[in-house]
Amino acid sequence: MTLNVDDILAPMKETRRKGDNLTLEWRLRQLDAMHLMITEKREDFIHALHKDLGKERTESIYSEILLVELEIKRFKKELRQWMKPKRVSYPGAIFPCVCEVQSVPLSDPCLIISPFNYPVGISLLPAVGSLGGGNPCVLKPSELCPTVSKVFAKMVPLYFDKGAFQVVEGGVDETTALLQHHYGLIHFTGSERVGRIVQSAAAKTLSPTVLELGGKTPTIITEDCPDDMNVVCHRLLGGKLLNAGQTCVAPDFVFCHRSKVDSFCKAAISTIEELFELKEGEKNKTSEFPSIVTENHAERLENMIKEAESKGGEIVYGGSKLCNKSCRYIPPTIVLNPDKDSVMMKEEIFGPVIPVIPFDTDDEAITNIHEIIPGIPLALYVFSKSKERYEYFMSKIPSASAMRNEAILQFVIPDFPFGGLGLSGLGSYQGKQSFDTFTHERTSLYHPCHALFEYGNLRYHPHTGTKGKALIFLIKNMPCVPSFTNKQLVLLSSLIIFLAVRGISSSLVDLASLLEVIASLLRDMSK
Ligand code: NAD
């Protein structure tokens, strides 16, 4: 069946035409509906996440559902404030003015295209931003998580009006059809390859895009890394193995100072076995280790490990013999010294494979990391006791985010905008940043219309003689007038009235009309 995108977008355009989406009430209603959906249908989502990705309950709650709940809570608390117009300063030569900036909805409904790895969180977090910003939106979830996609398709119509939020299921064909249309914003999360396809399609309809892409995130264990290697490994591997390594900001590979390699490998093995109840890479029935999304994805990872084995990489833990692609199981696998031309050192791994590369000096690590990363990575993780060393690495290896002695906590810091740079993405979201991403800053200026405020017609033609020179001088040197508070404005206006009454300007202007203008200015400013 061909997708009729016009029919999908029509009720959303109608919402916009009527202006419902401009109001705080409409936005809060959508956020309440979203909250109700994820709380009332929480079990459906948890079940679907288990089916599609083998995620255990608590991981599903904290790494997906709770993030959405917290985002809704934040939007509901702050939205009224964020929506308020903000006064800005203006050149004194046009005093008195009211200059305001207000964040308004984007030009059209938005499109959200989400990936498979956090299929609930990464679908609904941008949807909160879109609806909170006053934009009806269409969600196209990943076809690789069919159970989650079906839950969305079934639940969204129960909680949302078609003029606010709709779901379109499908893969390449459906996304291609959706991309033929103009959107206020296309929020895409996925691979660099598909990101390029989305960006090209968006160019044809002149739709703005946010691209949240992937990459190879370096992790460095320095010579002076914190003493407790057990804690280092819990943080690093807790991050790497979350969702079986299928996380965009997961540490992709580890550069480990040669003096720390043995202690790192030893602590890494005991950490893996403790976290996931594994015995030499074998999973027991109660293990919480998640699945790889599809058999094909598992096969790709198995081949990656096999290649490393055949090219002389030392398997410290796991290995291809333990892979079971029909069960979508790839064991956490530590590969020491993989061949630098192997797939695991060239492509984003996106699985539980941990290449470890020993180094002797910081500069050697930096040079080698630059040879591996194709562009600017989403993150850089440095385990070091020294702030200076961390800053040195930060100055030499650009990244969209960085952490010292931690990994993948980007999403839990509400004031961190989340997004990539260069090949790892374009634009960002989360919290206030989401609101900014999904709105346009509309400017508005009001200048009372009275001859007194023309200042001798200085700005108009003809610019002959000293008048022209005075104009240029004023433009260059006149300071900006700050955004006044209402109290300051009342004081200022009173002063003007006082001067007018004293007759300083009464010969030049009609006092009654001046008072009228000032009164209207005051009314406007105190709104
Ligand atoms: P993907 O690019 O294969 O798919 C993402 C979406 O694009 C899906 O909805 C899919 O249906 C659609 N799609 C696939 N092929 C398409 C095509 N030819 N034309 C139009 N649409 C198409 O990504 P994925 O495999 O689902 O997710 C993994 C990737 O996403 C990794 O690279 C990962 O790093 C990245 N990612 C990034 C972030 C981030 O926030 N930066 C978060 C999660 C995942």
Side-chain angles (χ1 to χ4, degrees):
M1 198 177 73
T2 49
L3 195 64
N4 190 335
V5 182
D6 283 322
D7 281 358
I8 293 166
L9 295 177
M12 303 195 177
K13 293 192 171 175
E14 181 60 11
T15 301
R16 291 179 48 85
R17 198 192 57 74
K18 288 192 292 184
D20 293 350
N21 59 322
L22 297 175
T23 65
L24 177 67
E25 292 66 35
W26 183 89
R27 302 180 197 197
L28 291 177
R29 215 166 44 244
Q30 311 317 318
L31 296 174
D32 283 339
M34 177 93 75
H35 190 258
L36 205 61
M37 179 176 82
I38 55 166
T39 44
E40 286 187 350
K41 304 299 174 195
R42 174 180 288 225
E43 291 309 314
D44 298 70
F45 284 116
I46 290 172
H47 169 77
L49 285 166
H50 188 260
K51 192 127 192 266
D52 290 340
L53 287 160
K55 285 194 192 190
E56 57 88 19
R57 188 181 175 78
T58 309
E59 182 172 330
S60 290
I61 294 175
Y62 73 72
S63 72
E64 304 229 30
I65 296 167
L66 214 50
L67 289 176
V68 180
E69 271 183 42
L70 292 172
E71 184 80 338
I72 295 172
K73 198 170 157 194
R74 176 135 198 234
F75 262 75
K76 285 184 63 179
K77 183 163 169 257
E78 308 277 2
L79 199 51
R80 182 185 296 274
Q81 195 57 33
W82 292 343
M83 285 172 70
K84 276 193 182 151
K86 282 150 209 76
R87 274 188 205 156
V88 295
S89 59
Y90 55 90
I94 55 167
F95 176 85
C97 271
V98 182
C99 290
E100 289 179 338
V101 179
Q102 185 171 23
S103 298
V104 297
L106 297 170
S107 65
D108 262 298
C110 295
L111 172 64
I112 295 162
I113 305 172
S114 60
F116 75 78
N117 60 335
Y118 290 88
V120 176
I122 297 181
S123 295
L124 295 185
L125 285 170
V128 171
S130 181
L131 295 166
N135 309 286
C137 58
V138 182
L139 165 68
K140 210 299 289 169
S142 171
E143 72 282 19
L144 300 181
C145 289
T147 328
V148 172
S149 177
K150 282 212 166 45
V151 173
F152 276 133
K154 192 169 152 203
M155 300 308 168
V156 166
L158 301 181
Y159 288 84
F160 291 89
D161 186 270
K162 279 189 171 176
F165 187 29
Q166 293 185 56
V167 173
V168 171
E169 286 195 277
V172 177
D173 290 348
E174 290 75 8
T175 320
T176 307
L178 285 165
L179 285 170
Q180 307 302 309
H181 294 252
H182 174 81
Y183 296 92
L185 181 76
I186 300 173
H187 190 284
F188 170 82
T189 309
S191 60
E192 184 195 319
R193 180 186 69 81
V194 181
R196 287 176 196 274
I197 296 172
V198 170
Q199 184 77 327
S200 316
K204 292 195 182 119
T205 64
L206 267 193
S207 300
T209 53
V210 165
L211 304 176
E212 302 288 349
L213 311 177
K216 288 184 83 62
T217 287
T219 299
I220 304 164
I221 296 182
T222 63
E223 191 176 5
D224 67 348
C225 95
D227 297 328
D228 195 334
M229 195 54 98
N230 193 37
V231 176
V232 170
C233 283
H234 270 73
R235 294 202 179 164
L236 198 164
L237 296 171
K240 171 73 183 182
L241 299 177
L242 183 77
N243 198 18
Q246 300 164 110
T247 302
C248 56
V249 285
D252 187 88
F253 55 88
V254 178
F255 266 68
C256 185
H257 191 268
R258 205 172 295 281
S259 65
K260 302 287 173 190
V261 171
D262 287 346
S263 58
F264 170 72
C265 289
K266 207 162 146 248
I269 293 170
S270 65
T271 302
I272 292 169
E273 302 218 321
E274 181 195 326
L275 294 182
F276 296 107
E277 296 182 68
L278 300 179
K279 196 85 203 101
E280 289 168 14
E282 299 261 18
K283 214 169 134 162
N284 77 22
K285 280 205 180 86
T286 55
S287 172
E288 293 182 346
F289 194 66
S291 311
I292 301 303
V293 66
T294 67
E295 269 190 62
N296 284 345
H297 287 69
E299 187 174 353
R300 170 184 167 269
L301 289 164
E302 183 178 346
N303 289 340
M304 189 185 279
I305 297 170
K306 280 182 176 159
E307 185 205 32
E309 289 167 343
S310 71
K311 289 187 172 168
E314 182 191 335
I315 303 294
V316 174
Y317 192 80
S320 63
K321 63 183 186 306
L322 296 165
C323 297
N324 184 342
K325 64 175 186 252
S326 59
C327 292
R328 298 188 278 139
Y329 176 63
I330 297 295
T333 295
I334 302 174
V335 186
L336 187 58
N337 273 318
D339 184 276
K340 70 178 178 27
D341 292 321
S342 58
V343 172
M344 78 172 61
M345 297 312 293
K346 294 269 174 213
E347 289 180 11
E348 179 181 16
I349 295 173
F350 224 57
V353 181
I354 309 143
V356 179
I357 303 102
F359 70 91
D360 294 302
T361 67
D362 292 353
D363 286 330
E364 174 205 337
I366 289 162
T367 307
N368 291 334
I369 287 171
H370 275 292
E371 278 175 20
I372 294 165
I373 50 178
I376 298 177
L378 275 174
L380 166 70
Y381 305 127
V382 179
F383 285 83
S384 170
K385 282 190 271 193
S386 153
K387 181 169 174 274
E388 288 69 35
R389 196 171 224 139
Y390 169 61
E391 285 171 352
Y392 183 67
F393 278 114
M394 284 221 291
S395 71
K396 298 287 176 187
I397 305 171
S399 62
S401 64
M403 287 182 199
R404 177 154 75 104
N405 301 339
E406 262 303 352
I408 81 157
L409 287 187
Q410 288 89 337
F411 261 115
V412 303
I413 315 296
D415 285 328
F416 273 6
F418 188 86
L421 183 65
L423 291 186
S424 59
L426 182 72
S428 54
Y429 72 123
Q430 189 167 252
K432 173 67 162 59
Q433 184 60 45
S434 263
F435 180 78
D436 292 344
T437 293
F438 281 97
T439 50
H440 167 75
E441 289 196 312
R442 184 185 203 184
T443 58
S444 157
L445 179 149
Y446 164 59
H447 195 184
C449 211
H450 197 283
L452 179 67
F453 306 131
E454 293 298 86
Y455 307 119
N457 285 344
L458 206 59
R459 65 178 160 138
Y460 306 112
H461 287 279
H463 298 310
T464 45
T466 50
K467 197 179 154 216
K469 285 198 183 108
L471 175 66
I472 300 296
F473 177 84
L474 271 179
I475 293 172
K476 273 167 94 175
N477 299 298
M478 191 78 163
C480 273
V481 179
S483 196
F484 292 122
T485 62
N486 289 340
K487 238 190 219 157
Q488 288 166 330
L489 281 166
V490 170
L491 276 173
L492 250 169
S493 306
S494 310
L495 183 67
I496 295 173
I497 295 168
F498 174 74
L499 292 173
V501 171
R502 289 283 305 269
I504 292 175
S505 54
S506 57
S507 58
L508 303 171
V509 298
D510 163 10
L511 185 58
S513 71
L514 176 63
L515 288 174
E516 196 182 293
V517 165
I518 290 170
S520 84
L521 185 64
L522 278 173
R523 267 198 312 277
D524 272 44
M525 286 169 173
S526 58
K527 263 181 202 158

